[in-house]
Structures are given as C-alpha cells and as structure tokens.
Amino acid sequence: MDIRTVGIIGAGQMGNGIAHVFALSGYDVLLTDVNEAALKRAVELVEGNLGRQVTREKISAEDRDAALARIRTTSQLADLGQSDLVIEAATERESVKDAIFAELVPHLKPDTILTSNTSSISITRLASRTDRPEKFMGFHFMNPVPVMSLVELIRGIATDEETYRLLLDVVERLGKTAAVAEDFPAFIVNRVLMPMINEAVYVLYEGVGNVLSIDKAMKLGTNHPMGPLELADFIGLDTCLAIMNVLHDGLADTKYRPCPLLTKYVEAGWLGRKTQRGFYDYRGDVPKPTR
C-alpha cells in the first residue's frame, strides 16, 4: 500500500502541526474540525509557521507554496473516508475519540489505516471499537510538531506487521525519528514526563519552592530548556491532569495520584497558555507567576 492522502481530525495545536509536516513532505492533506473558525485559524497558523521557515532559510518559498496547496479543509468527517491514512488528533478524552471513530468508520475504504495521536489512552481499547483493529496504531507526535523530531509508534495487541511497517516508513519520510512503545498507560514519553511535572506541582503545593524557583532550579540544575511548570502551561494543565488520571487509573499506583493543586487550577479554568493563565499569567507583556 502506498500512502498518499492523509486525513487529520482536529484543527487544534496538534492537528495543524501534523497537517504542516505532512503537507511539507508531499502528502495531500484533508483537515477536519467541527469548528469552521478553528479550520480557518489552523490554515493561517500553518501559513505563518511555513513563512517563518522560509525566513530562516529552512525551506524555500516554492516549498511553502506547494505545501499550502496540498492542504484542504472540511467540516464533514465523512469526507475523510477516501484517505489512505487517518490521524485522529481530537481532545484527550476517550469518549470523544470513540464517537469520532464510530461516525467515521462506515465511510472508510477497506484498506485505510486508522491512527490516534493520543498521548496516553489505550490503543488496544480504541482499536477494538472499530472494524479494523489490525490496521490501527498509536501515532503520537510531540508538540510543537514541526520542531520536535520524535514520533511514538504504539502497537495495539491486534496491530499487524504491515501496518507497523507502513507507518515506520511514513515517519522516515517526514524526516522524523520513531520510538516504538508498548501499549501501556501514557507509553514512554508521558510515562516519564508527567509524573515529573506532577511532582513539581506537589513541590509548589507543599511550599518547598515558588513557581519561579522551581522552574529556575530545573532549568539550571538539570539543563532542561523549559521548567516543569512552564512546560505544563505550554502543554495545557487539563491535558496534564487527564494523563495523570490515565496513569493513576490504569496502573493503580498511588505514586501517580494527581496533585490536588493541579486539579484546582483545572477547575478554575486556568489551563496554561491557551487560557492566558496557569502557573503563569500571560495577559501582560511578560509572564508573571501566579504563586
């Protein structure tokens, strides 16, 4: 099977980045979202990000124009039915993903490969609710997609070898590097990263350090480019909490218990950069810590 057309579900932060890298690598992309404004915003973001790559001489103006010409949008999920590969990049809630696949599956070609960009949810479980568990995989990109080189490939219990090999080839064509993970809660990256972020929130919650001291300590003490609380704001505190809940529920270990302060921030709607407030307040010229 030769993968040429790619359908992407969700025009948010991850979806527009995935559309960007696929279009730039020569794939025809059809991007869908229930929100027409989100689709328009996604294309504008891709155009702006491609423009920055031209300015930095990473790509040519011709590459940019060709990539933009390969991206189409639709608000109708069924329009993705003729895609060779579908990547679901909707919100990190299993019920939402199940509903999307239930609506999409009747319209798919028999050989279409289904994937999810989930950062934590069971691939085996998602696949079992479709008509093609053998052609279903986890296809987890890192954020921001155009910059980060890693893609986690997660095989469900039923994923066949051909599907795995095809997606491995796709990752290589994108110029990225694959890390193969087994299908356990949060896979590799978030299994390690999220407990670190959660522990940083505990350090804040217990008064061991404030926001600035925690982030400064980790940046300078471990040479991380971004402190854990700053990174949590970038990822989205709701996403961090959702992944911690998946770890806690899936592994039944108290060490994965979400920090109550993380829960409190999410309840307040302080989700990080996307809502202008999280562990930092982004409403001014310079981000200011909220604790």
Side-chain angles (χ1 to χ4, degrees):
M1 180 182 176
D2 186 16
I3 295 174
R4 297 183 180 183
T5 56
V6 180
I8 300 169
I9 303 166
Q13 191 174 38
M14 296 303 295
N16 76 68
I18 295 168
H20 175 141
V21 298
F22 270 93
L24 195 56
S25 298
Y27 293 93
D28 292 323
V29 172
L30 183 57
L31 179 64
T32 187
D33 198 287
V34 293
N35 188 330
E36 291 275 8
L39 286 171
K40 183 174 183 293
R41 192 162 54 247
V43 173
E44 289 171 351
L45 281 168
V46 171
E47 185 171 5
N49 289 334
L50 286 168
R52 275 189 284 277
Q53 287 182 303
V54 172
T55 301
R56 294 169 185 166
E57 298 183 346
K58 301 284 187 183
I59 63 173
S60 68
E62 291 75 17
D63 292 334
R64 174 199 60 203
D65 296 342
L68 286 170
R70 294 187 191 104
I71 299 175
R72 295 181 297 119
T73 63
T74 179
S75 59
Q76 301 302 311
L77 191 59
D79 291 345
L80 272 62
Q82 294 305 301
S83 302
D84 299 324
L85 168 65
V86 172
I87 303 168
E88 172 274 313
T91 188
E92 191 70 355
R93 290 208 306 272
E94 190 166 347
S95 59
V96 172
K97 296 178 187 298
D98 284 341
I100 287 169
F101 290 128
E103 182 181 345
L104 176 64
V105 160
H107 304 283
L108 294 176
K109 300 186 300 181
D111 59 350
T112 296
I113 294 173
L114 273 179
T115 68
S116 176
N117 184 57
T118 179
S119 54
S120 61
I121 297 168
S122 168
I123 298 303
T124 297
R125 198 163 60 237
L126 289 174
S128 71
R129 296 165 186 154
T130 73
D131 66 344
R132 61 196 69 208
E134 72 285 350
K135 292 186 178 298
F136 196 110
M137 275 195 77
F139 206 25
H140 181 215
F141 289 82
M142 304 297 119
N143 184 35
V145 181
V147 175
M148 302 294 278
S149 62
L150 181 70
V151 179
E152 279 185 311
L153 287 181
I154 306 101
R155 300 174 72 156
I157 196 169
T159 306
D160 64 25
E161 186 68 16
E162 181 186 11
T163 299
Y164 165 67
R165 291 292 172 191
L166 282 168
L167 290 184
L168 197 58
D169 288 343
V170 170
V171 173
E172 290 176 2
R173 181 172 165 183
L174 294 175
K176 297 191 179 294
T177 301
V180 182
E182 293 299 317
D183 186 23
F184 288 94
F187 320 128
I188 296 172
V189 173
N190 282 318
R191 174 75 177 268
V192 175
L193 174 64
M194 285 303 157
M196 184 196 77
I197 288 175
N198 193 54
E199 193 63 27
V201 184
Y202 266 115
V203 170
L204 179 65
Y205 177 61
E206 294 168 4
V208 179
N210 61 28
V211 169
L212 286 177
S213 63
I214 292 165
D215 277 350
K216 186 189 299 180
M218 293 304 290
K219 283 194 283 189
L220 299 180
T222 61
N223 206 27
H224 289 188
M226 196 180 290
L229 301 176
E230 183 185 2
L231 179 57
D233 275 358
F234 180 74
I235 293 167
L237 303 193
D238 53 338
T239 299
C240 294
L241 179 60
I243 295 170
M244 286 309 302
N245 281 325
V246 166
L247 282 166
H248 191 232
D249 295 344
L251 297 171
D253 192 324
T254 55
K255 73 180 180 180
Y256 298 115
R257 182 173 72 97
C259 179
L261 184 60
L262 177 60
T263 302
K264 188 68 68 181
Y265 268 71
V266 173
E267 288 174 345
W270 291 18
L271 308 181
R273 284 183 175 272
K274 61 187 173 185
T275 59
Q276 295 297 294
R277 276 193 292 187
F279 293 114
Y280 292 85
D281 188 327
Y282 300 92
R283 293 174 297 175
D285 295 334
V286 178
K288 294 182 179 179
T290 55
R291 285 180 91 85

